[in-house]
Structures are given as structure tokens and as C-alpha cells.
Amino acid sequence: PGPTVAVLGCGPDRVYPARHGGLAEAIVDGGGAGITEFAPGDGPLARHFPMRNRVISGLSLATIVVEAAPRSGSLITARTAAEQGREVFAVPGSLHNPLSKGCHRLLRDGANWLESVDDVLQAFGDFRRVIDDSPALNTDQPALLRHFTGGVNDLDALCRRSGLGMAELADRLAELELDGRVTRARGGYVIRR
């Protein structure tokens, strides 16, 4: 992953909430940045956050909404993303969960269905090829590792993402495990850091 860019809903001299001061420092120390369109001294006013979210969606290739109440800031961000010509994805949820109502509305209105990273890659067409062919993103990395996500990766998901058969996948995972690149975990494998 690259450096983090935090978009502020206040002036550059303010951190909101204040308890995130350490996080703001870590972002900058890690080569990232905090950006804002507000003047120094401007506080975190409620009306600033939809404007901040417009900047976030404008900087992004896509907006992903995981949960959203019917009247939430997430829906405002999704609307501005669509107006900016960005992709909008929504995760479907339980019909009984009030925080799924916003996602269901987005899906009804034409947002992309999102169940896995494959849904994102499919929407961007050649995006996977660009990632797979990028020497900057894949230096000295076995091809199978590119199909791992954070956390535990189960065998079925790795088969689906990599396109490998179960026998070949098992062989490659054994090699990666012997090389110390992955380790077994309950339910699958994780990348060793």
C-alpha cells in the first residue's frame, strides 16, 4: 500500500477529533499528507463534512458503501462520487438491518454490487492486468501472493481469485509456507509480514 492521504473537514492546523492527533502525526511521518480546502483556524463544522466527502470521492477511483442509514453522510458521498463520474459500490445486507437500507437504495439506483474484490476488479476491466503487470507493485513476489487479502485467506477464495485448481494451489501454498512467506491459520493462510 502507498502513503495515506487524510482529507480534513477543518483547517490544516486542527485535528478532529483531537484524540486522533497521534494518527495525524503517523500519517505525515509515514510519507502521507493531511489535505483540506478549509482555512487555518476553521473548526470542524457539520456543514464542512459533505464538502470534505466531495474531495474524498474526487480523489478516489471508486466509493464503497458498506453500511448506510437512509439519511447518512455515506449516501451523500456516494451521490457526489456518481456526479463526478466515479464508480459506486454497495455491499448488500440483511433486510432487517436499518444500516443496510442505504446500501439497498444505492443498489436499486444502479450502484455496483459488491461481495468481493473480484467485483471491483471486474468493474475496472483492465485494472487487474495493470496491477499484475506493474513491476512497482509486484517486485520479487510470487504470483499467488498477489491474490491474498489482509487477514485469513481461505482455500476456496484463493482458488477463485487465482484461477488455480485445488491440487496446484496446495502445492504452491506449501512452497510459500516453506519459504516463510505464508503461514497456516485457522480457516486458511495469512501472509507473514
Side-chain angles (χ1 to χ4, degrees):
T4 299
V5 175
V7 183
L8 309 175
C10 54
D13 56 336
R14 306 281 297 267
V15 175
Y16 176 80
R19 69 179 180 274
H20 290 169
L23 175 61
E25 287 179 24
I27 289 171
V28 173
D29 291 346
I35 63 171
T36 183
E37 62 182 338
F38 301 105
D42 282 354
L45 303 175
R47 69 176 185 265
H48 289 177
F49 291 94
M51 293 187 284
R52 176 206 60 182
N53 292 357
R54 174 185 48 78
V55 174
I56 292 170
S57 62
L59 290 171
S60 305
L61 292 174
T63 295
I64 297 173
V65 181
V66 177
E67 289 185 333
R71 296 175 50 85
S72 71
S74 299
L75 296 181
I76 294 170
T77 305
R79 186 189 72 237
T80 59
E83 290 169 355
Q84 293 164 331
R86 305 297 195 255
E87 294 288 338
V88 176
F89 294 87
V91 177
S94 167
L95 296 175
H96 305 292
N97 181 354
L99 294 178
S100 295
K101 291 185 184 302
C103 290
H104 294 159
R105 187 168 84 197
L106 288 171
L107 290 166
R108 201 172 41 245
D109 293 345
N112 294 292
W113 182 276
L114 180 61
E115 285 183 345
S116 74
V117 69
D118 294 327
D119 297 322
V120 175
L121 295 174
Q122 183 178 1
F124 286 104
D126 286 336
F127 194 59
R128 180 186 286 275
R129 184 187 53 74
V130 170
I131 290 171
D132 288 347
D133 293 345
S134 172
L137 297 175
N138 296 301
T139 57
D140 298 328
Q141 184 182 69
L144 181 56
L145 287 181
R146 290 183 285 208
H147 300 289
F148 273 71
T149 59
V152 177
N153 293 265
D154 68 68
L155 294 176
D156 290 334
L158 287 170
C159 271
R160 201 172 45 251
R161 286 187 221 128
S162 68
L164 298 173
M166 191 59 79
E168 186 177 355
L169 175 65
D171 288 344
R172 292 194 188 180
L173 286 169
E175 290 172 15
L176 291 173
E177 193 172 10
L178 288 171
D179 288 345
R181 292 184 177 252
V182 300
T183 187
R184 276 184 228 232
R186 178 180 222 125
Y189 289 82
V190 295
I191 293 179
R192 290 184 70 181
R193 303 284 178 202

